[in-house]
Each structure stands twice: as structure tokens, then as C-alpha cells.
Amino acid sequence: MFKRVLLALGILVLSAVIVYLGRDGYRDSSGKPIGWLTAFYYATVTLSTTGYGDVVPVSDSARLINTLVVTPLRVLFLLVLVGTTLEVLTERTRNEWRQERWRSKVRDHTVVVGYGTKGGSAVQTLLKNGHSPESIVVVDTDPTRIAEANRRGLAGVVGDGSRGEVLERAEVAKARNVVISAERDDTAVLTTLTVRRLNRRATVVASVREAENAPLLRQSGASSVVTSSDTAGQLLGVATISPRVSQVVQDLLSYGDGLELLERPADTGDAGKEPGAVKEPVLAVIRGSRTMRYDDVAIGTIELTDRLVVVRSVHNRRPGA
């Protein structure tokens, strides 16, 4: 697109220079001499095929140059304009067709509302965890962020994620997971309410800056709430008191490198054992809708229907885990 604009400007300037150099062969109906302004004016109306007729070539040489040089430049100029218009229309049609095709097939996808620092990190973790780019849809008000998401193979919707029509374009009603990483807590609450109005079954994970707003988000329908400012502050405190502990915590939070936290189903090798007897360090046991810490006496022994939150080295990750 930019190259086409430069080419069109170059053709215009070249035409104006040709007219100015042969200005003695042109006549202005106002009687004024042909200057640079008139030369650019004539080039513009000629290349655009407007042709008011107030400036005309009168000498044989000027008419010959118009026939052999200016006319081909006019054709080239029009081809550039038409080509640019067709390119824009084709790209727009292609994007609309791609979106309609995607909407007709998408099911159980993940919608990420807000593609800033937090949203981008969430997407990166999902991709490292095995999610395909085609299964992630990003919603953001900034077109440049959506363009960046598209370059990574993600689907994108430009708009305010707290508005129902925008979330409908992201097919949030069919989504399995919704990640809300709004920059303002009140926006996060409104977005959560809108998501829940459209989808009752999805897992909704939301981020807030202030801990006092976390209960409000849960009441709005968030399945899980992450308090970004408190978490960052706690890490800063831990890093000040115990730098090595802080490194381990950051390692656990960085998926795909070193140690990682993950949830997995209990297997036959785990069943009947206490959490401390499992090969991998068990931090929590999920039984039904209840999450119990590893030292909760109510766990007793692990059951096959349990899910375990464990610490694992990426080098010891089981195939398919």
C-alpha cells in the first residue's frame, strides 16, 4: 500500500516537472504565466482525467509530449489507484470470509479480553501448554494489538470486550474459557457480567489490580480471580527477604522452563497413597468441587477420581501431559 502511494506521488511529480519544463507550450485561460502551482494543477487534473480545460497544451511539442508521455503516465496512475482499491477490497473480503468461516467451525475455544502485558503473557502460557493458535480469540480496542495477534495466528476482534455485540463476534457463547485482563477493575467486572449473560458454563478467569475488588468479581461470575498488584507486591517482599525463594516462585510461574505447576488426574500409581508418598510433590488434591491442601487430614489417601496439583520438572514431563 505504502509503495503504491509513493509511486502515485512520483508519477504526479514527474508529470508536473514535464509540464513546467515545457511551460512555453501551454496556455492558461486566466492569462497568467505557467508556474509550478499551475504545472501541478494541470498534472493533477490530467492524471485524474478531470480535465477542466482551463490549462491546455497549444504548441506541437507540448501536445506531442502529452500524447507520448503524459497519457501513458495517466494510464499508469489510474492503474495504481485501481490496484490499490482492489487490494483493499480484496483484503477486506478475505478477512470477512475468514471470520465467517472461523465462526462456523469454532467450538470450545478460549477468548482473551485485553491483549496488553497480562493478556499477552496469558496467551503465551496457553500456547506453551498445547493450545493451538486457532483455538484462541483475542478481543482488544487497539487495532495494532489485534494485528499483532493475527500475525501470531490468533483470531482477533477489535472492540470493547465489555459490550455484548463485541463478545458475540468472538463467539463467547461457544467458548470453554474466557480470560479477562482488563486494565481497569470496573471494566473487568462489567466484562465478567456480560460474559456470564452470554455463557453460563465457561470457566472465567479475571484479573484485578486491587484485592478489595476480587469479591465483586466473584459475585459477578468469575470462576477464578488473580490480584495482580497484591501478587506483584508479595513477590517483591519475598525477593527482599529470600531472593532464592523468589527465584523458585518465578520459575514455577514460568511455564515451559525449569519447574512448573500443573494439574493432572490421579493414576493407578497414585491411588491409595498419601500425598507425601507420591513421586511428584503434591501441593493440593481436588476432589469433586473441593480443593484441599496437601496437609489436609480430610484427604486421607488419594482416589482415582481425584485431580492433583503437582510440581514437575519440564524435563520429566509425561508424554501428553
Side-chain angles (χ1 to χ4, degrees), residues 258-292:
L259 298 174
E260 62 184 16
L261 282 172
L262 77 156
E263 176 186 331
R264 67 169 178 83
D267 57 29
T268 53
D270 305 319
K273 295 181 180 179
E274 296 182 352
V278 176
K279 182 178 180 180
E280 297 164 330
V282 176
L283 299 184
V285 175
I286 303 171
R287 183 169 295 163
S289 60
R290 184 180 178 187
T291 300
M292 298 174 285

Side-chain angles (χ1 to χ4, degrees), residues 12 15-16 19 26 34 36-48 54-57 62 66 70 74:
L12 177 61
S15 299
V19 173
Y26 291 82
I34 304 296
W36 276 111
L37 180 58
T38 304
F40 271 99
Y41 167 75
Y42 176 79
T44 302
V45 298
T46 300
L47 292 178
S48 62
D54 48 348
V55 180
V56 294
N66 265 263
V70 176
R74 181 190 302 124

Side-chain angles (χ1 to χ4, degrees), residues 63-287:
R63 291 176 176 176
L64 182 62
I65 291 176
N66 265 263
T67 302
L68 299 180
V69 180
V70 176
T71 297
L73 288 176
R74 181 190 302 124
V75 174
L76 180 59
F77 184 82
L78 293 176
L79 287 176
V80 170
L81 293 182
V82 172
T84 302
T85 303
L86 288 176
E87 182 180 0
V88 172
L89 292 176
T90 301
E91 183 63 24
R92 181 179 301 173
T93 302
R94 185 184 299 115
N95 288 337
E96 291 177 354
W97 176 81
R98 187 185 300 119
Q99 290 182 8
E100 289 300 325
R101 184 169 175 267
W102 170 80
R103 289 194 185 99
S104 65
K105 293 184 177 181
V106 68
R107 292 288 188 283
D108 295 331
H109 57 297
T110 298
V111 177
V112 179
V113 181
Y115 196 58
T117 302
K118 292 182 293 184
S121 297
V123 168
Q124 185 67 21
T125 300
L126 290 171
L127 293 174
K128 288 182 178 180
N129 197 27
H131 285 66
S132 65
E134 296 79 12
S135 67
I136 302 175
V137 185
V138 173
V139 179
D140 200 284
T141 55
D142 189 347
T144 59
R145 291 180 176 178
I146 296 300
E148 173 62 26
N150 292 154
R151 284 192 289 270
R152 298 180 65 180
L154 311 174
V157 175
V158 179
D160 184 352
S162 64
R163 300 180 65 87
E165 61 268 24
V166 175
L167 292 177
E168 287 175 355
R169 283 160 50 201
E171 295 294 343
V172 76
K174 303 177 185 177
R176 174 178 294 179
N177 305 296
V178 180
V179 178
I180 300 173
S181 58
E183 296 181 0
R184 293 167 51 97
D185 288 0
D186 54 351
T187 303
V189 172
L190 181 57
T191 303
T192 302
L193 288 170
T194 307
V195 168
R196 278 302 180 216
R197 178 172 62 83
L198 298 172
N199 189 328
R200 293 289 183 183
R201 65 178 181 84
T203 299
V204 179
V205 181
S207 169
V208 291
R209 292 178 179 272
E210 305 299 333
E212 62 185 14
N213 294 324
L216 184 57
L217 259 176
R218 294 191 181 93
Q219 292 172 11
S220 301
S223 311
S224 179
V225 179
V226 177
T227 307
S228 57
S229 58
D230 277 8
T231 301
Q234 291 169 13
L235 283 176
L236 288 173
V238 170
T240 302
I241 300 170
S242 305
R244 301 297 183 184
V245 173
S246 173
Q247 291 177 8
V248 173
V249 172
Q250 293 186 59
D251 187 5
L252 288 172
L253 295 177
S254 301
Y255 189 87
D257 184 22
L259 298 174
E260 62 184 16
L261 282 172
L262 77 156
E263 176 186 331
R264 67 169 178 83
D267 57 29
T268 53
D270 305 319
K273 295 181 180 179
E274 296 182 352
V278 176
K279 182 178 180 180
E280 297 164 330
V282 176
L283 299 184
V285 175
I286 303 171
R287 183 169 295 163

Side-chain angles (χ1 to χ4, degrees), residues 15-38:
S15 299
V17 170
I18 291 174
V19 173
Y20 181 78
L21 292 177
R23 58 188 178 277
D24 294 337
Y26 291 82
R27 183 177 63 200
D28 189 341
S29 61
S30 65
K32 296 179 180 179
I34 304 296
W36 276 111
L37 180 58
T38 304

